[in-house]
Amino acid sequence: MAGGDQGPGAGGFLGGWLDEIVVELSKLGALPLPEGFADDYSPGTLPVLEAAAIAYLEQGGNADLLVRGLGAYLGEAVLRTAGGHWEWSGYQEGDPVVVVDPVHKAGPVDVCGIVRRALDEATGEVFAEEHGWMEIAAAAQMGKDPSWRPVRVKVR
């Protein structure tokens, strides 16, 4: 199916995910984020968000309720840095993935898998480390082609 959208109904699973991102992101309101947290998907917000998620779990919070919300945030941060689009293609747990701009020659980014690893490891460094690879790729691409900019493509 077009755009990696596998599943029944109008828009299938990908369409459903794109419609639900805002709902998933709203679940992050349960996290103990610092006053004035700027949820702008910038690289600096990623360690703060990860630390808040770890603190939430240490306080007895349910990781399953947040995986897709955290994945949505991380995915949007990746899209703003490396360009690309969301895709639904039956990766682990049937979660959505981010397919970065083809100029980076990178495979799909399993953002929910990264979130699960970050919560399991509880180091507070996984989001920034994984996003850092996208920053390096984007900087390299801009070095090769100064006119290149990350573009978030909407695929349905």
Side-chain angles (χ1 to χ4, degrees), residues 18-115:
L18 295 174
D19 292 341
E20 292 297 318
I21 285 178
V22 173
V23 172
E24 293 297 335
L25 288 168
S26 73
K27 294 176 184 177
L28 302 181
L31 297 178
L33 290 164
E35 186 79 26
F37 175 75
D39 59 348
D40 60 4
Y41 308 104
S42 64
T45 63
L46 297 174
V48 175
L49 186 64
E50 186 174 353
I54 292 166
Y56 171 81
L57 294 180
E58 289 171 349
Q59 297 167 2
N62 183 341
D64 292 336
L65 296 177
L66 295 178
V67 168
R68 287 207 172 150
L70 291 167
Y73 192 96
L74 180 58
E76 289 295 321
V78 167
L79 288 169
R80 283 167 172 74
T81 298
H85 63 274
W86 285 102
E87 188 171 292
W88 195 285
S89 52
Y91 288 86
Q92 180 180 347
E93 306 294 327
D95 289 325
V97 296
V98 170
V99 176
V100 296
D101 188 318
V103 300
H104 303 305
K105 296 177 177 62
V109 180
D110 178 7
V111 290
C112 292
I114 293 169
V115 167

